[in-house]
Amino acid sequence: MPARGLADQKALAAIVERSAVDREFRQQLMTDWRGAIQRAFGINVPPQFTMRFVERDAGIDALIVLPDFREADGELSDRDLEEVAGGGDLDLAHW
């Protein structure tokens, strides 16, 4: 695994871990995640990068994010092509 990918995983793990023990930070992630990450970790997320944080409802064992819809012709979307060409890593360490 590239060092960048490992750093990204560590940054995301730190965000998730803090959200498990800090109610205020958790709420901020759901209402102003960009600001919450900047204040807590000093990471400035570029405006073109988007995320959403959600809480798992009681009685739900797993949340599953469906992939982008593809037409039956098998053509890749522009986003899919970018991920294939760029490797698709989430670069949290280099914001």
Side-chain angles (χ1 to χ4, degrees), residues 51-86:
M51 286 192 285
R52 179 184 299 175
F53 290 88
V54 297
E55 286 186 302
R56 182 176 47 87
D57 292 334
I60 300 296
D61 295 317
L63 290 173
I64 303 191
V65 177
L66 298 174
D68 293 338
F69 184 79
R70 292 189 308 263
E71 294 297 330
D73 63 9
E75 291 287 319
L76 294 175
S77 69
D78 289 341
R79 181 177 177 192
D80 290 337
L81 288 172
E82 285 179 25
E83 287 184 11
V84 170

